[in-house]
Amino acid sequence: MDIRDYIRLAISEDVGDGDHTSLSTIPRDAERRARLLVKEDGIVAGVEVAKIIFEEVDPLLQVELLMHDGQAIQKGDIVLTVSGDAQAILKAERLVLNTMQRMSGIATYTRSLVNMLYGLPTNLLYTRITTPNFRFFDNLAVLIGGAVNQRFELYDMILIKDNHVDYAGGIEAAITQANDYLARTGRKLHIEIEVRSLTELEEALRVGRIQRIMLDNFSLENLRTAVERVGGKYPTEASGGIREDSIRAVAETGVDYISCGALTHQIKSLDLSLKAY
């Protein structure tokens, strides 16, 4: 599926057999204008998505983008204007707002965490902790906010986590079976292994045949020890329980990446509004 497929499904879900409020109250030939107003400071995201939503609802709608994805916005700013068929504008209104408000909330929070890492080489990663059927937009919002991709779906890398290790019979068994699978299927995927202790780290280093090591719920002291022990042989990723008040200290241990599920869950949407003028 591409972005337009998701948008068409969302329109179909919302509209059903018709926007009967607009159909019953607005003359069919009415032409109107509206503008998307900012009611809260933050980072705007979903502008290009909004443009596509308007296009999918009615390709004759005229959309003027006054701001762009990733820009800092302030209360009172106008992000875009739209003009054309009044019924079409109203049909698109809630989907545009739902999408942009959530995406902008994600981008705003992501940018705040990225700023906390300023001056350090550590990259912030987003994860698969996303809203089902909205992950494309969640992930896009995190990228707009300044984080980088860990993986988009299950199919684009092998990430061996704790349950995989336990089900497979241990670190060595999991890594060996993953590599055998790649050889057998001819796939070329990176392998990342999650370790829960310095003991598991030692086993992963002994076995090798991986491309990244995730250090899960390590203390700051153990993170520093782990990074020193890895010695740059593999990129390292810190994960688990990382908060605003600890993220910089985690980065200062020398890890290459920090993954943070909070980027896309329990997010406060940014306050935006589409108003006629």
Side-chain angles (χ1 to χ4, degrees):
M1 293 176 66
D2 66 17
I3 185 172
R4 290 184 182 270
D5 294 322
Y6 286 108
I7 288 171
R8 289 170 191 143
L9 283 174
I11 293 170
S12 176
E13 175 194 50
D14 191 33
V15 176
D17 68 349
D19 173 11
H20 300 298
T21 307
S22 297
L23 290 171
S24 65
T25 60
I26 309 298
R28 184 63 195 89
D29 59 352
E31 299 273 326
R32 297 290 187 270
R33 298 180 299 173
R35 54 190 176 187
L36 197 146
L37 301 175
V38 176
K39 302 174 72 176
E40 185 178 3
D41 296 357
I43 301 298
V44 69
V47 181
E48 293 295 333
V49 174
K51 186 173 184 292
I52 297 173
I53 292 172
F54 283 122
E55 289 174 358
E56 287 295 327
V57 169
D58 182 353
L60 297 180
L61 289 175
Q62 299 297 308
V63 180
E64 182 181 6
L65 304 184
L66 305 177
M67 306 193 78
H68 300 282
D69 287 324
Q71 281 188 242
I73 52 176
Q74 296 181 322
K75 182 177 179 179
D77 285 342
I78 301 172
V79 176
L80 61 80
T81 64
V82 57
S83 59
D85 183 275
Q87 291 185 6
I89 292 173
L90 293 170
K91 185 186 295 185
E93 175 185 7
R94 180 43 54 191
L95 181 55
V96 166
L97 289 175
N98 286 349
T99 302
M100 287 196 64
Q101 286 174 328
R102 176 170 172 79
M103 289 183 66
S104 296
I106 291 171
T108 298
Y109 185 62
T110 301
R111 183 70 58 84
S112 72
L113 293 187
V114 169
N115 288 342
M116 292 177 188
L117 302 178
Y118 179 78
L120 298 174
T122 306
N123 286 305
L124 186 63
L125 291 177
Y126 66 82
T127 70
R128 285 179 55 246
I129 303 176
T130 56
T131 305
N133 296 324
F134 201 78
R135 75 175 63 203
F136 181 96
F137 306 102
D138 280 358
N139 290 342
L140 178 58
V142 173
L143 288 174
I144 290 169
V148 297
N149 180 22
Q150 183 195 58
R151 58 174 175 166
F152 182 65
E153 301 273 16
L154 283 171
Y155 56 72
D156 55 12
M157 73 177 292
I158 292 178
L159 176 49
I160 306 172
K161 294 182 67 67
D162 52 355
N163 284 336
H164 300 98
V165 170
D166 292 341
Y167 285 175
I171 295 284
E172 182 169 6
I175 294 174
T176 299
Q177 290 167 35
N179 278 281
D180 289 348
Y181 172 82
L182 292 180
R184 186 171 67 252
T185 61
R187 287 180 168 83
K188 297 185 182 301
L189 300 173
H190 279 189
I191 298 175
E192 178 173 1
I193 183 73
E194 177 185 273
V195 298
R196 294 164 286 188
S197 66
L198 292 172
T199 300
E200 286 192 343
L201 172 63
E202 290 299 333
E203 185 175 2
L205 291 173
R206 175 180 60 79
V207 176
R209 304 177 71 193
I210 53 178
Q211 283 72 51
R212 187 187 297 175
I213 298 175
M214 179 189 293
L215 308 165
D216 185 51
N217 282 298
F218 276 46
S219 67
L220 291 177
E221 179 181 357
N222 282 349
L223 278 176
R224 283 189 287 269
T225 300
V227 169
E228 182 178 347
R229 180 65 187 87
V230 173
K233 186 175 182 181
Y234 303 106
T236 54
E237 173 185 339
S239 178
I242 297 168
R243 307 178 306 274
E244 294 177 25
D245 61 358
S246 64
I247 189 169
R248 187 167 182 90
V250 170
E252 287 172 342
T253 67
V255 293
D256 299 291
Y257 300 98
I258 293 174
S259 54
C260 185
L263 297 180
T264 49
H265 69 71
Q266 299 180 348
I267 286 296
K268 177 184 177 296
S269 293
L270 207 67
D271 196 359
L272 306 170
S273 180
L274 190 69
K275 292 297 184 182
Y277 72 102

